[in-house]
Amino acid sequence: SWNSKSSIDKDIILDILGYPKGLQEKIDKIKNGVLLLTSSYCKDGNCTEETQIKMYREIIENYGEERIIIKPHPNDFIPYEIYFPKSTILHERFPIELFLLCGGTIKCVAGIDSNALSFLESRYPVERYPELPLKYGIKYDHIAQVLNADQYR
């Protein structure tokens, strides 16, 4: 198990998987931080960049921009720092599951329908916003599965 590994072994594994050195210290400075996991709606052709930003703005307004730590989906290349300059943006590409292993200190995780939300809810409170895509005219099967409703197909 992870806890039985030496600190050297953990550092080697984290380095191989691209987990940023100093990330935990960076996150610990944010009081009551909220980790926002994005999806790649715009890149996948489901909406415009403007619409995707509007959806995430609604989520961010629930917590305060200064508390938000945005972890973009690997296929999401929107420059969030332009839209949310007070938020912390994690530009590094690494599996978010490593955040759980490293004991990230945050208040909660938020997102629309990221698969990683289910994985992270074993350790953190998770707040989902699966209704936002429908509000902005985005319909696709994954949201219907999350909400278990045909009206989103």
Side-chain angles (χ1 to χ4, degrees):
S1 83
W2 181 254
N3 292 332
S4 66
K5 303 250 181 264
S6 72
S7 61
I8 292 171
D9 287 342
K10 287 179 183 179
D11 286 345
I12 291 170
I13 292 167
L14 292 173
D15 189 51
I16 289 170
L17 295 174
Y19 194 75
K21 289 182 179 16
L23 176 62
Q24 195 52 53
E25 293 78 14
K26 183 178 182 179
I27 289 172
D28 286 346
K29 292 178 184 177
I30 301 166
K31 190 169 180 82
N32 293 315
V34 176
L35 181 63
L36 174 61
L37 303 179
T38 75
S39 295
S40 56
Y41 301 106
C42 176
K43 175 118 180 353
D44 296 343
N46 292 308
C47 69
T48 64
E49 182 173 315
E50 179 184 1
T51 298
Q52 185 165 325
I53 291 299
K54 284 180 183 177
M55 288 192 299
Y56 289 120
R57 188 171 309 284
E58 281 199 42
I59 295 172
I60 289 169
E61 286 173 353
N62 291 318
Y63 307 100
E65 191 177 326
E66 308 80 21
R67 293 178 52 205
I68 298 292
I69 303 153
I70 299 175
K71 171 68 170 85
H73 183 279
N75 290 330
D76 182 4
F77 297 102
I78 291 176
Y80 287 99
E81 61 278 359
I82 292 171
Y83 299 101
F84 308 110
K86 295 178 184 173
S87 294
T88 299
I89 316 298
L90 303 180
H91 292 288
E92 302 87 356
R93 303 280 184 209
F94 63 92
I96 194 60
E97 292 79 6
L98 293 177
F99 189 79
L100 179 66
L101 286 176
C102 294
T105 54
I106 54 171
K107 181 178 180 181
C108 70
V109 181
I112 294 173
D113 67 345
S114 171
N115 290 330
L117 294 172
S118 298
F119 180 79
L120 292 171
E121 71 186 349
S122 66
R123 168 113 194 241
Y124 303 102
V126 169
E127 297 182 12
R128 289 180 167 84
Y129 297 85
E131 71 285 354
L132 287 176
L134 181 64
K135 177 179 177 180
Y136 288 96
I138 301 170
K139 294 184 179 188
Y140 63 102
D141 286 340
H142 185 66
I143 291 176
Q145 291 169 358
V146 170
L147 293 176
N148 196 22
D150 285 334
Q151 69 186 27
Y152 297 95
R153 293 184 197 272

